[in-house]
Amino acid sequence: MSAAQESWKHIVREIEKRGATRRPRTIEGPQGTRAQIDGKTVVNLSSNNYLGLAQDQRVKTAAKAAIDCYGCGSCSARSIMTTKVHAELEDALARFKRTDSSIVFNTGFSANVGALQTLLSEHDLIFSDSLNHGSIIDGCRLSGARTVVYPHKDVQALEALLQEQRTENVRLIVTDGVFSMDGDVAPLPEIARLAKSYGCVLMVDDAHGTGVMGTGGRGTVDFFDLRNQVQVQMGTLSKAFGSVGGYIAGDRDMVELIRNQARPYLLSTALPPGDMAAAITSLRILEQEPMLLQRLWENTSYFRDGLAQLGFDTGESVTPIIPVHVGEEKKANSFADSLFSHGVYALSIAYPLVQAGKARIRTIVTATHDKADLDTALDAFAKCGRKCGAI
Ligand SMILES: *Cc1c(COP(=O)(O)O)cnc(C)c1O
């Protein structure tokens, strides 16, 4: 065995010893609120399918029709050839976000990487929240700009850093709108005020905000009414929209620059047309059915209140992402295993996805859970939580 192979083996054994091996469970059917997972029907609290649109018959029909029209694959990068559905989706997203333009990437991950890499260079400065998504972190690295990490949501610390860290060139502040591990929301009005008074560009990643917050699910930027103060809006089609892909929305020139220079856009084959048609249809349904959002928020309050009444610590969550804090990695894993044996699938999340010692069970409530689903889940949390000492 080579030295490299020895070292890989050693790292894996270390992970196994910590009891932190990641073994995704296998789902054998639709990603519903009750799903067939590892041979067992369980309440699914681990899906980003906030509005149930991944299984909506209209969305599936639109995807099939696009496959019948265009075929399965796109067969070239967008920069060479682009289907009508890709263009139609970009128009629909720009209208939805109320911006000039939008550009669709293959994933939310590559949208962040592509945008940051294009809009910034080594002479620039980025101010990034300490709990921002990994794709923002990688985008910052690839941009070559110097990145200053500010403590999570700490506006005072951010202001101090803005006073101290200066450049003649671009300064950009970037934050998640909704944070994916804690379900808390960035203090965008205060950040936007700082961005304005210190002459910074502001970028918001609304992967978990879109289809969830704001009027008609337009996201956190809309929720705080800051459309004209956030120059770069990022979102994904893979969560509430039940499809796949990511996008950047904003003014025409910014989007055009990305379209001409972002490497993940230029060098990667476009998403299949079926997925684009699915996203267009999801957007349309979201516009026509505000009830979906209402149900999502009713379920969110019901479940969060239920967990709080049982004595669980759900941190600063104010969205459908509700963490149940446990602390120790092993404890979180055994909590999750015990939940599964009681018919509930909720993910245990530990280092390196979150800080060491801050392991948690992350739950995600959707519009399509019914009261019986949520009550079953609360019962299981009560039993298993007591068993492993979380309450
Ligand atoms: C999921 C997520 C992404 C990546 O989106 P994908 O479409 O899954 O690649 C980016 N940012 C945040 C905050 C996310 O939660």
Side-chain angles (χ1 to χ4, degrees), residues 107-109 112 133 135 176 178 180 205 207-208 234 236 238-239 245-246:
T107 62
F109 200 108
N112 271 332
H133 191 261
S135 54
D176 284 9
V178 174
S180 52
D205 172 339
H208 285 283
M234 175 274 175
T236 161
S238 59
K239 288 171 179 151

Side-chain angles (χ1 to χ4, degrees), residues 16 26 108 110 137 145 148 156 161 166 171 188 255 264 321 346 373:
E16 284 167 355
T26 306
S110 57
I137 297 171
V148 177
Q156 276 176 352
L161 289 165
R166 295 182 179 272
R171 295 201 294 175
L188 288 183
V255 170
I321 299 175
D373 297 330

Side-chain angles (χ1 to χ4, degrees), residues 205-235:
D205 172 339
D206 236 347
H208 285 283
T210 307
V212 174
M213 293 192 66
T215 42
R218 285 188 169 77
T220 54
V221 174
D222 175 277
F223 177 82
F224 289 115
D225 201 12
L226 295 169
R227 224 169 34 255
N228 300 320
Q229 294 174 66
V230 178
Q231 291 78 19
V232 189
Q233 292 195 55
M234 175 274 175

Side-chain angles (χ1 to χ4, degrees), residues 92-274:
L93 284 168
R95 273 200 306 279
F96 178 65
K97 289 283 174 178
R98 299 188 170 128
T99 55
D100 286 351
S101 300
S102 88
I103 175 168
V104 169
F105 283 80
N106 287 2
T107 62
F109 200 108
S110 57
N112 271 332
V113 168
L116 286 163
Q117 189 191 46
T118 304
L119 299 176
L120 297 143
S121 68
E122 59 265 41
H123 309 294
D124 301 329
L125 259 176
I126 302 174
F127 298 85
S128 175
D129 186 289
S130 60
L131 295 189
N132 274 346
H133 191 261
S135 54
I136 294 178
I137 297 171
D138 285 10
C140 292
R141 286 184 184 142
L142 278 168
S143 74
R146 193 153 59 81
T147 303
V148 177
V149 175
Y150 62 89
H152 182 49
K153 293 194 301 188
D154 188 337
V155 180
Q156 276 176 352
L158 173 59
E159 180 156 25
L161 289 165
L162 287 167
Q163 281 169 354
E164 183 186 301
Q165 306 281 338
R166 295 182 179 272
T167 167
E168 296 301 301
N169 294 290
V170 177
R171 295 201 294 175
L172 175 140
I173 303 171
V174 59
T175 181
D176 284 9
V178 174
F179 289 88
S180 52
M181 297 300 158
D182 292 276
D184 55 340
V185 174
L188 288 183
E190 289 85 355
I191 294 176
R193 183 179 52 75
L194 289 181
K196 198 168 171 193
S197 58
Y198 289 88
C200 300
V201 175
L202 179 54
M203 172 168 176
V204 175
D205 172 339
D206 236 347
H208 285 283
T210 307
V212 174
M213 293 192 66
T215 42
R218 285 188 169 77
T220 54
V221 174
D222 175 277
F223 177 82
F224 289 115
D225 201 12
L226 295 169
R227 224 169 34 255
N228 300 320
Q229 294 174 66
V230 178
Q231 291 78 19
V232 189
Q233 292 195 55
M234 175 274 175
T236 161
L237 306 168
S238 59
K239 288 171 179 151
F241 291 158
S243 181
V244 64
Y247 60 88
I248 300 289
D251 79 44
R252 195 173 318 280
D253 290 336
M254 186 268 294
V255 170
E256 277 313 295
L257 178 61
I258 291 175
R259 201 180 292 286
N260 281 282
Q261 294 192 350
R263 291 160 68 83
Y265 178 86
L266 296 172
L267 300 173
S268 195
T269 300
L271 286 171

